[in-house]
Amino acid sequence: MLFSHFNNLKLMNINKNEFLFLPLGGVGRIGMNVSLYHYQGKWIMIDLGIGFADETMPGIELLIADLSFIAQRKKDLLGIIITHAHEDHCGAVPYLWEKLQCPIYTTKFTVNFLKEKLKEFRLKDMVPVKEVDINGSINLGPFNIEFINITHSIPEAHSILVSTGVGSALHTGDWKFDPKPVIGSTSNVSRLKEIGGKGDLLAAICDSTNILSKHNPESEGEIYNNIYNIIRRSKKLVAVSLFASNVARIETISQAAKALNRKVVLLGRSLWKIVKVAQDSGYLTNSAQFLEAKDVANLPREKILLICTGCQGEPMAATSKLANRSHHAFKMQQGDTMIFSSKIIPGNETRVHNIYNAFIEMGVEVVTEKTEHIHASGHPVRAELREMYSLIKPKMSIPVHGEYIHTHAHVKFAKECGVEKAIMVAPGDIVNLESGEKIDSIDVDYFGVDGILLRYPESSVIKMRRKMRDAGAIVVTAVVNKKNKLLAKPKVFAPGVFETIEDAAIIQRIIKTVESAFGLQSMKKIRNKIESSIFSILREYLLKRPIIEVQIEQV
Ligand SMILES: [Zn+2]
Ligand SMILES: [Zn+2]
């Protein structure tokens, strides 16, 4: 990864004894969770996740936070604490660890997950990933770091209690209170209550994902009967599409399949990876046997259940391949059932609906969480947030893990729950946790990962890509002599603007105006004339301003 773009921030003065919170990502937009805590001149980081780019960054899928601030202070960074194994919390480790070079602390499942991930990036033996017990704690310089087990949609999620000489803050991570999580134990509510009992928790840095939801709390344990009944009703092949990291859901589906005498086939590399990580960590030990497509080649379709990656319509994943009939081993048929045991992440609606429609056109029965209760969110709804605040009784709430629409609503709600103070923060804001005041702010940007290069959202490459996507380009090439006289007819290409054959007359007009510009004296005047005359021709046909590139070679 090339870091040449990293900012050279001016060194700012930070009072050594202040207990500070500084988010570098995870607020203002969903994903890219990275938080810093400071005390006595030392720093710790909680989570180092990736974000997912939207259509404003064409050609970019992954986003990573700008770590310039902490990279300049890496000698004082004591460690990275990972709350859980979701990509938005640990996915940037392979991209950014090199910049920080400090130990990583997390519990067994997340250690195993990270090691698999680092192996893919050929970094496994370089990055020190240290295992902490579930509900365990460690001392890092002036910090005591306590992992508090909490339920979510992946095993071993933890809230982190960061304690210093001047007080503590609870970084909730992603969580919900699930009485039946299917995998792993329930949330460590007694410890949360104990923290609240002391009445001195300075701040809760808390998950805002579901603040706008009107739902009641949902439990993973409620899903089983519904999934079981849908599979039981089906007389043909059943496939289930889900988030690969949802180990509890894999368990639920595999138990339902087992009970209904169907063999379970995993389709997708990330499912195999997560199953291996789960089994290495002591989970999924009593599940149905997970098989490959070739293992069930001789079984009738009604004896098979497929678990598939790609519930968000990812084009290369198993669900998409089944939808466009390009999967090498299975073709869905009339009467088969496709269950989407997941929700659509905002932004992916069109892609996922195209897949639903493709299945329906094949005569496949499509079941989604819109009509059947077959998915449970991993994040807290209002009732759970209220319970959390009443347990831990923080002096202040700092909502994170959301866009501003979420954190803004969460600020109001925290106050309704009796939290004295609640503040909204943006990436780069520095909050003194003892006084509860925002004391400063640093400039923080983010990058799109473009192969091994990093791109700012407003870099010229990205701006150019947006323009080319929306309006195309017109490229003019001409060869002239030393006196700027044309030596051959100029060439005009207009990819994304005009059709070569249907629009040939317009292209000819452009060539003519290009030719006429070469009567002018200076090269600058020639270029200006070419551009302005192309724009005036374009105005007659299109309300667009494509990129105009004029290449003149002088021989
Ligand atoms: Zn998250
Ligand atoms: Zn999560």
Side-chain angles (χ1 to χ4, degrees):
M1 186 64 47
L2 301 183
F3 293 106
S4 53
H5 297 305
F6 264 75
N7 271 326
N8 224 359
L9 293 166
K10 66 177 191 308
L11 282 175
M12 59 184 310
N13 279 332
I14 282 172
N15 183 333
K16 228 177 145 230
N17 295 318
E18 285 176 330
F19 181 23
L20 304 175
F21 168 66
L22 163 52
L24 296 179
V27 275
R29 64 185 302 144
I30 301 260
M32 224 166 27
N33 296 287
V34 186
S35 295
L36 292 170
Y37 290 85
H38 166 272
Y39 185 57
Q40 293 200 336
K42 300 293 177 193
W43 297 85
I44 56 158
M45 178 179 282
I46 298 188
D47 289 334
L48 185 50
I50 48 167
F52 295 96
D54 57 24
E55 68 289 347
T56 60
M57 291 186 82
I60 303 283
E61 266 185 51
L62 303 183
L63 305 176
I64 55 174
D66 174 358
L67 300 188
S68 310
F69 174 86
I70 192 64
Q72 284 172 356
R73 294 162 174 78
K74 70 175 182 186
K75 68 172 185 13
D76 293 320
L77 179 64
L78 303 175
I80 305 170
I81 319 296
I82 304 290
T83 58
H84 64 290
H86 276 152
E87 292 292 332
D88 58 325
H89 296 260
C90 71
V93 169
Y95 297 98
L96 292 171
W97 179 82
E98 196 191 337
K99 200 68 188 148
L100 305 171
Q101 313 245 335
C102 65
I104 297 175
Y105 300 89
T106 188
T107 60
K108 189 171 194 162
F109 175 85
T110 313
V111 168
N112 288 337
F113 181 85
L114 266 177
K115 285 189 173 166
E116 283 296 315
K117 191 175 225 352
L118 290 164
K119 214 182 336 179
E120 286 167 22
F121 284 77
R122 296 169 204 263
L123 287 168
K124 192 182 169 210
D125 299 319
M126 282 176 64
V127 183
V129 187
K130 304 188 177 202
E131 188 178 325
V132 180
D133 290 340
I134 292 173
N135 289 313
S137 56
I138 51 168
N139 286 311
L140 288 180
F143 299 98
N144 178 269
I145 311 290
E146 183 182 341
F147 286 67
I148 300 170
N149 181 56
I150 200 144
T151 47
H152 182 39
S153 47
I154 194 165
E156 298 184 17
H158 283 86
S159 293
I160 307 294
L161 183 70
V162 183
S163 299
T164 69
V166 294
S168 308
L170 185 77
H171 188 101
T172 68
D174 295 2
W175 66 278
K176 65 172 174 178
F177 286 133
D178 191 335
K180 284 189 195 148
V182 179
I183 292 277
S185 41
T186 51
S187 302
N188 189 350
V189 173
S190 59
R191 180 62 185 134
L192 295 172
K193 197 170 178 183
E194 202 172 71
I195 292 166
K198 289 190 194 149
D200 61 356
L201 184 67
L202 295 175
I205 290 84
C206 187
D207 184 350
S208 310
T209 316
N210 278 346
I211 189 75
L212 303 176
S213 162
K214 286 188 192 138
H215 283 99
N216 293 320
E218 295 170 333
S219 169
E220 191 59 38
E222 296 163 357
I223 306 292
Y224 178 85
N225 283 343
N226 301 323
I227 298 256
Y228 175 93
N229 285 329
I230 297 165
I231 301 171
R232 190 176 50 82
R233 282 202 303 264
S234 170
K235 300 285 169 269
K236 294 204 172 164
L237 182 68
V238 176
V240 188
S241 184
L242 43 57
F243 293 106
S245 62
N246 197 331
V247 177
R249 197 66 50 80
I250 296 172
E251 172 70 356
T252 297
I253 294 159
S254 95
Q255 291 300 349
K258 209 166 145 184
L260 290 162
N261 211 13
R262 282 180 186 251
K263 297 288 180 200
V264 177
V265 175
L266 299 184
L267 300 184
R269 217 167 53 89
S270 51
L271 269 167
W272 282 106
K273 188 171 102 178
I274 206 80
V275 164
K276 178 184 185 302
V277 167
Q279 290 177 336
D280 288 351
S281 312
Y283 304 107
L284 298 181
T285 49
N286 191 31
S287 309
Q289 197 187 353
F290 297 109
L291 302 171
E292 307 218 28
K294 62 175 168 36
D295 301 327
V296 297
N298 297 322
L299 275 185
R301 296 166 70 79
E302 67 274 15
K303 291 286 167 210
I304 302 171
L305 181 133
L306 311 176
I307 301 184
C308 314
T309 54
C311 65
Q312 298 306 303
E314 298 88 333
M316 299 309 288
T319 304
S320 282
K321 287 183 180 169
L322 290 175
N324 62 32
R325 306 186 67 78
S326 66
H327 196 277
H328 70 281
F330 293 97
K331 300 270 179 283
M332 297 299 275
Q333 294 174 3
Q334 171 99 25
D336 290 344
T337 302
M338 186 74 216
I339 304 171
F340 285 82
S341 184
S342 52
K343 64 158 199 170
I344 304 178
I345 294 173
N348 295 336
E349 291 86 351
T350 310
R351 204 160 80 164
V352 178
H353 276 248
N354 287 343
I355 286 180
Y356 293 168
N357 295 332
F359 282 124
I360 286 165
E361 280 186 313
M362 282 179 222
V364 171
E365 178 73 18
V366 173
V367 186
T368 76
E369 53 101 33
K370 293 274 179 222
T371 53
E372 304 252 11
H373 183 34
I374 50 171
H375 177 68
S377 167
H379 299 274
V381 294
R382 289 184 173 225
E384 290 161 299
L385 284 166
R386 190 183 290 281
E387 188 184 347
M388 176 63 101
Y389 286 126
S390 80
L391 284 167
I392 60 174
K393 300 186 172 54
K395 293 189 171 134
M396 173 170 63
S397 165
I398 307 178
V400 294
H401 209 280
E403 299 169 18
Y404 295 129
I405 183 104
H406 303 100
T407 54
H408 178 73
H410 191 164
V411 159
K412 280 195 198 164
F413 183 71
K415 288 178 183 164
E416 274 172 50
C417 293
V419 181
E420 205 175 300
K421 188 165 185 174
I423 58 169
M424 258 180 81
V425 290
D429 284 350
I430 303 178
V431 181
N432 180 321
L433 294 168
E434 213 186 340
S435 68
E437 298 301 325
K438 238 185 261 184
I439 56 164
D440 209 335
S441 193
I442 57 165
D443 286 336
V444 179
D445 211 325
Y446 59 89
F447 303 100
V449 178
D450 200 15
I452 64 157
L453 304 175
L454 298 180
R455 308 284 185 208
Y456 275 121
E458 290 309 312
S459 64
S460 62
V461 166
I462 297 300
K463 279 187 184 161
M464 202 68 129
R465 272 190 207 166
R466 277 201 294 263
K467 229 173 156 183
M468 285 164 88
R469 178 195 62 190
D470 296 340
I474 293 185
V475 183
V476 175
T477 53
V479 184
V480 296
N481 65 13
K482 293 260 163 4
K483 292 177 177 165
N484 292 340
K485 286 261 156 15
L486 275 172
L487 294 177
K489 201 177 169 82
K491 291 198 168 94
V492 172
F493 306 96
V497 186
F498 294 121
E499 295 282 1
T500 317
I501 296 170
E502 289 90 328
D503 303 327
I506 307 171
I507 295 173
Q508 282 309 316
R509 273 188 71 190
I510 294 175
I511 292 173
K512 280 229 153 52
T513 103
V514 170
E515 280 174 327
S516 70
F518 284 92
L520 296 165
Q521 286 299 309
S522 77
M523 195 56 89
K524 196 176 164 202
K525 281 185 180 160
I526 292 171
R527 285 176 181 281
N528 288 347
K529 173 82 196 313
I530 290 173
E531 284 184 21
S532 63
S533 50
I534 290 176
F535 277 127
S536 74
I537 292 175
L538 280 172
R539 264 199 299 276
E540 295 175 33
Y541 300 95
L542 300 163
L543 286 171
K544 284 192 190 332
R545 283 181 79 84
I547 290 163
I548 295 189
E549 172 71 20
V550 180
Q551 294 174 341
I552 301 171
E553 196 186 341
Q554 209 171 38
V555 293

